[in-house]
Each structure stands twice: as structure tokens, then as C-alpha cells.
mmCIF file of all heavy atoms in Angstrom:
data_model
loop_
_atom_site.group_PDB
_atom_site.id
_atom_site.type_symbol
_atom_site.label_atom_id
_atom_site.label_comp_id
_atom_site.label_asym_id
_atom_site.label_seq_id
_atom_site.Cartn_x
_atom_site.Cartn_y
_atom_site.Cartn_z
ATOM 1 N N ASN U 1 -1.987 -3.947 17.866
ATOM 2 C CA ASN U 1 -1.461 -5.271 17.712
ATOM 3 C C ASN U 1 -0.667 -5.397 16.387
ATOM 4 O O ASN U 1 -0.869 -4.601 15.459
ATOM 5 C CB ASN U 1 -2.557 -6.362 17.794
ATOM 6 C CG ASN U 1 -3.585 -6.256 16.687
ATOM 7 O OD1 ASN U 1 -3.240 -6.291 15.461
ATOM 8 N ND2 ASN U 1 -4.858 -6.131 17.042
ATOM 9 N N ASP U 2 0.217 -6.375 16.342
ATOM 10 C CA ASP U 2 1.110 -6.521 15.222
ATOM 11 C C ASP U 2 0.371 -6.791 13.909
ATOM 12 O O ASP U 2 0.822 -6.351 12.883
ATOM 13 C CB ASP U 2 2.089 -7.723 15.487
ATOM 14 C CG ASP U 2 3.074 -7.371 16.630
ATOM 15 O OD1 ASP U 2 3.265 -6.132 16.873
ATOM 16 O OD2 ASP U 2 3.663 -8.281 17.193
ATOM 17 N N GLN U 3 -0.756 -7.484 14.019
ATOM 18 C CA GLN U 3 -1.536 -7.734 12.804
ATOM 19 C C GLN U 3 -2.083 -6.439 12.200
ATOM 20 O O GLN U 3 -2.057 -6.291 10.928
ATOM 21 C CB GLN U 3 -2.684 -8.696 13.072
ATOM 22 C CG GLN U 3 -2.248 -10.137 13.362
ATOM 23 C CD GLN U 3 -1.868 -10.350 14.809
ATOM 24 O OE1 GLN U 3 -1.808 -9.370 15.611
ATOM 25 N NE2 GLN U 3 -1.542 -11.550 15.227
ATOM 26 N N ALA U 4 -2.582 -5.552 13.031
ATOM 27 C CA ALA U 4 -3.110 -4.273 12.532
ATOM 28 C C ALA U 4 -2.002 -3.457 11.914
ATOM 29 O O ALA U 4 -2.182 -2.784 10.851
ATOM 30 C CB ALA U 4 -3.788 -3.485 13.663
ATOM 31 N N LEU U 5 -0.840 -3.428 12.565
ATOM 32 C CA LEU U 5 0.322 -2.704 11.951
ATOM 33 C C LEU U 5 0.759 -3.340 10.655
ATOM 34 O O LEU U 5 1.164 -2.642 9.722
ATOM 35 C CB LEU U 5 1.463 -2.678 12.968
ATOM 36 C CG LEU U 5 1.234 -1.800 14.203
ATOM 37 C CD1 LEU U 5 2.368 -2.026 15.209
ATOM 38 C CD2 LEU U 5 1.123 -0.346 13.829
ATOM 39 N N ALA U 6 0.678 -4.673 10.543
ATOM 40 C CA ALA U 6 1.058 -5.338 9.326
ATOM 41 C C ALA U 6 0.070 -4.990 8.181
ATOM 42 O O ALA U 6 0.497 -4.816 7.047
ATOM 43 C CB ALA U 6 1.142 -6.887 9.526
ATOM 44 N N VAL U 7 -1.216 -4.941 8.559
ATOM 45 C CA VAL U 7 -2.219 -4.608 7.542
ATOM 46 C C VAL U 7 -1.982 -3.165 7.071
ATOM 47 O O VAL U 7 -2.085 -2.845 5.896
ATOM 48 C CB VAL U 7 -3.653 -4.749 8.103
ATOM 49 C CG1 VAL U 7 -4.687 -4.146 7.123
ATOM 50 C CG2 VAL U 7 -3.952 -6.226 8.361
ATOM 51 N N ARG U 8 -1.624 -2.263 7.993
ATOM 52 C CA ARG U 8 -1.309 -0.881 7.612
ATOM 53 C C ARG U 8 -0.135 -0.838 6.679
ATOM 54 O O ARG U 8 -0.133 -0.088 5.684
ATOM 55 C CB ARG U 8 -1.006 -0.064 8.894
ATOM 56 C CG ARG U 8 -0.550 1.380 8.621
ATOM 57 C CD ARG U 8 -0.394 2.124 9.938
ATOM 58 N NE ARG U 8 0.145 3.417 9.707
ATOM 59 C CZ ARG U 8 1.450 3.770 9.882
ATOM 60 N NH1 ARG U 8 2.321 2.898 10.262
ATOM 61 N NH2 ARG U 8 1.848 5.030 9.709
ATOM 62 N N ALA U 9 0.938 -1.591 6.977
ATOM 63 C CA ALA U 9 2.083 -1.637 6.083
ATOM 64 C C ALA U 9 1.715 -2.106 4.675
ATOM 65 O O ALA U 9 2.145 -1.551 3.671
ATOM 66 C CB ALA U 9 3.164 -2.474 6.699
ATOM 67 N N CYS U 10 0.859 -3.137 4.601
ATOM 68 C CA CYS U 10 0.405 -3.666 3.311
ATOM 69 C C CYS U 10 -0.413 -2.641 2.622
ATOM 70 O O CYS U 10 -0.233 -2.413 1.418
ATOM 71 C CB CYS U 10 -0.402 -4.915 3.502
ATOM 72 S SG CYS U 10 0.543 -6.385 4.024
ATOM 73 N N ALA U 11 -1.284 -1.946 3.332
ATOM 74 C CA ALA U 11 -2.148 -0.960 2.679
ATOM 75 C C ALA U 11 -1.368 0.237 2.148
ATOM 76 O O ALA U 11 -1.643 0.678 1.063
ATOM 77 C CB ALA U 11 -3.203 -0.463 3.753
ATOM 78 N N ARG U 12 -0.350 0.681 2.898
ATOM 79 C CA ARG U 12 0.468 1.763 2.423
ATOM 80 C C ARG U 12 1.273 1.353 1.181
ATOM 81 O O ARG U 12 1.416 2.152 0.231
ATOM 82 C CB ARG U 12 1.429 2.233 3.514
ATOM 83 C CG ARG U 12 0.751 2.882 4.709
ATOM 84 C CD ARG U 12 0.269 4.252 4.383
ATOM 85 N NE ARG U 12 -0.412 4.919 5.482
ATOM 86 C CZ ARG U 12 0.170 5.784 6.362
ATOM 87 N NH1 ARG U 12 1.453 6.020 6.321
ATOM 88 N NH2 ARG U 12 -0.554 6.364 7.307
ATOM 89 N N ARG U 13 1.773 0.129 1.202
ATOM 90 C CA ARG U 13 2.497 -0.350 0.016
ATOM 91 C C ARG U 13 1.607 -0.488 -1.201
ATOM 92 O O ARG U 13 1.975 -0.156 -2.308
ATOM 93 C CB ARG U 13 3.189 -1.718 0.324
ATOM 94 C CG ARG U 13 4.092 -2.220 -0.802
ATOM 95 C CD ARG U 13 5.125 -1.226 -1.196
ATOM 96 N NE ARG U 13 5.902 -1.629 -2.372
ATOM 97 C CZ ARG U 13 6.588 -0.863 -3.133
ATOM 98 N NH1 ARG U 13 6.578 0.442 -2.900
ATOM 99 N NH2 ARG U 13 7.218 -1.321 -4.154
ATOM 100 N N LEU U 14 0.432 -1.010 -0.987
ATOM 101 C CA LEU U 14 -0.543 -1.092 -2.091
ATOM 102 C C LEU U 14 -0.898 0.313 -2.635
ATOM 103 O O LEU U 14 -1.079 0.457 -3.844
ATOM 104 C CB LEU U 14 -1.835 -1.785 -1.588
ATOM 105 C CG LEU U 14 -1.745 -3.345 -1.479
ATOM 106 C CD1 LEU U 14 -2.961 -3.852 -0.700
ATOM 107 C CD2 LEU U 14 -1.707 -3.940 -2.850
ATOM 108 N N ALA U 15 -1.046 1.276 -1.739
ATOM 109 C CA ALA U 15 -1.322 2.659 -2.193
ATOM 110 C C ALA U 15 -0.211 3.145 -3.107
ATOM 111 O O ALA U 15 -0.455 3.779 -4.142
ATOM 112 C CB ALA U 15 -1.542 3.552 -1.008
ATOM 113 N N ALA U 16 1.033 2.858 -2.727
ATOM 114 C CA ALA U 16 2.170 3.304 -3.542
ATOM 115 C C ALA U 16 2.204 2.607 -4.912
ATOM 116 O O ALA U 16 2.429 3.216 -5.909
ATOM 117 C CB ALA U 16 3.501 3.019 -2.792
ATOM 118 N N LEU U 17 1.911 1.283 -4.887
ATOM 119 C CA LEU U 17 1.881 0.574 -6.178
ATOM 120 C C LEU U 17 0.748 1.003 -7.013
ATOM 121 O O LEU U 17 0.898 1.072 -8.302
ATOM 122 C CB LEU U 17 1.762 -0.963 -5.828
ATOM 123 C CG LEU U 17 3.010 -1.623 -5.264
ATOM 124 C CD1 LEU U 17 2.706 -3.080 -4.853
ATOM 125 C CD2 LEU U 17 4.196 -1.572 -6.173
ATOM 126 N N ASN U 18 -0.404 1.270 -6.472
ATOM 127 C CA ASN U 18 -1.528 1.778 -7.255
ATOM 128 C C ASN U 18 -1.220 3.152 -7.905
ATOM 129 O O ASN U 18 -1.606 3.382 -9.057
ATOM 130 C CB ASN U 18 -2.778 1.863 -6.380
ATOM 131 C CG ASN U 18 -3.449 0.554 -6.206
ATOM 132 O OD1 ASN U 18 -3.684 -0.198 -7.163
ATOM 133 N ND2 ASN U 18 -3.842 0.252 -4.951
ATOM 134 N N LYS U 19 -0.493 3.969 -7.111
ATOM 135 C CA LYS U 19 -0.120 5.300 -7.683
ATOM 136 C C LYS U 19 0.844 5.096 -8.830
ATOM 137 O O LYS U 19 0.712 5.794 -9.873
ATOM 138 C CB LYS U 19 0.523 6.151 -6.556
ATOM 139 C CG LYS U 19 0.925 7.515 -6.975
ATOM 140 C CD LYS U 19 1.522 8.333 -5.850
ATOM 141 C CE LYS U 19 1.938 9.704 -6.302
ATOM 142 N NZ LYS U 19 2.517 10.483 -5.180
ATOM 143 N N ALA U 20 1.784 4.181 -8.697
ATOM 144 C CA ALA U 20 2.743 3.933 -9.752
ATOM 145 C C ALA U 20 2.014 3.428 -11.008
ATOM 146 O O ALA U 20 2.422 3.745 -12.125
ATOM 147 C CB ALA U 20 3.791 2.970 -9.267
ATOM 148 N N ARG U 21 1.049 2.526 -10.803
ATOM 149 C CA ARG U 21 0.342 1.988 -11.886
ATOM 150 C C ARG U 21 -0.468 3.066 -12.626
ATOM 151 O O ARG U 21 -0.492 3.094 -13.910
ATOM 152 C CB ARG U 21 -0.623 0.865 -11.438
ATOM 153 C CG ARG U 21 -1.431 0.199 -12.559
ATOM 154 C CD ARG U 21 -2.337 -0.885 -12.051
ATOM 155 N NE ARG U 21 -3.309 -0.386 -11.062
ATOM 156 C CZ ARG U 21 -4.237 -1.195 -10.451
ATOM 157 N NH1 ARG U 21 -4.264 -2.470 -10.801
ATOM 158 N NH2 ARG U 21 -5.092 -0.635 -9.625
ATOM 159 N N THR U 22 -1.087 3.951 -11.898
ATOM 160 C CA THR U 22 -1.814 5.038 -12.511
ATOM 161 C C THR U 22 -0.890 5.909 -13.319
ATOM 162 O O THR U 22 -1.237 6.317 -14.437
ATOM 163 C CB THR U 22 -2.516 5.893 -11.441
ATOM 164 O OG1 THR U 22 -3.452 5.014 -10.731
ATOM 165 C CG2 THR U 22 -3.285 7.048 -12.044
ATOM 166 N N GLN U 23 0.294 6.211 -12.789
ATOM 167 C CA GLN U 23 1.237 7.038 -13.522
ATOM 168 C C GLN U 23 1.700 6.320 -14.793
ATOM 169 O O GLN U 23 1.796 6.925 -15.876
ATOM 170 C CB GLN U 23 2.469 7.301 -12.649
ATOM 171 C CG GLN U 23 2.167 8.232 -11.484
ATOM 172 C CD GLN U 23 3.368 8.364 -10.521
ATOM 173 O OE1 GLN U 23 4.251 7.529 -10.511
ATOM 174 N NE2 GLN U 23 3.410 9.461 -9.752
ATOM 175 N N ALA U 24 1.956 4.987 -14.688
ATOM 176 C CA ALA U 24 2.366 4.234 -15.895
ATOM 177 C C ALA U 24 1.259 4.195 -16.958
ATOM 178 O O ALA U 24 1.520 4.341 -18.157
ATOM 179 C CB ALA U 24 2.723 2.819 -15.481
ATOM 180 N N LYS U 25 0.052 4.081 -16.527
ATOM 181 C CA LYS U 25 -1.114 4.090 -17.471
ATOM 182 C C LYS U 25 -1.219 5.438 -18.182
ATOM 183 O O LYS U 25 -1.536 5.501 -19.324
ATOM 184 C CB LYS U 25 -2.389 3.735 -16.745
ATOM 185 C CG LYS U 25 -2.465 2.211 -16.403
ATOM 186 C CD LYS U 25 -3.871 1.904 -15.826
ATOM 187 C CE LYS U 25 -4.000 0.425 -15.608
ATOM 188 N NZ LYS U 25 -5.363 0.021 -15.043
#
């Protein structure tokens, strides 16, 4: 369902942002 795919998209983007934050730290 579209909601599950939307959550996946959010989760993948959060993973990318978390990685960028770790690198910046």
C-alpha cells in the first residue's frame, strides 16, 4: 500500500540524513 511505501521513503531519507549528521560530527 502507498502508506507503507511512503514510510519506506521516509525511513530511507532519514537514514541518509543520519549518515550525513554522523559524518559532520
Side-chain angles (χ1 to χ4, degrees):
N1 65 56
D2 291 338
Q3 289 84 355
L5 290 172
V7 171
R8 174 177 176 258
C10 289
R12 292 286 178 94
R13 183 57 185 159
L14 281 167
L17 290 174
N18 280 314
K19 182 178 180 180
R21 180 178 61 178
T22 299
Q23 291 174 339
K25 286 184 174 181

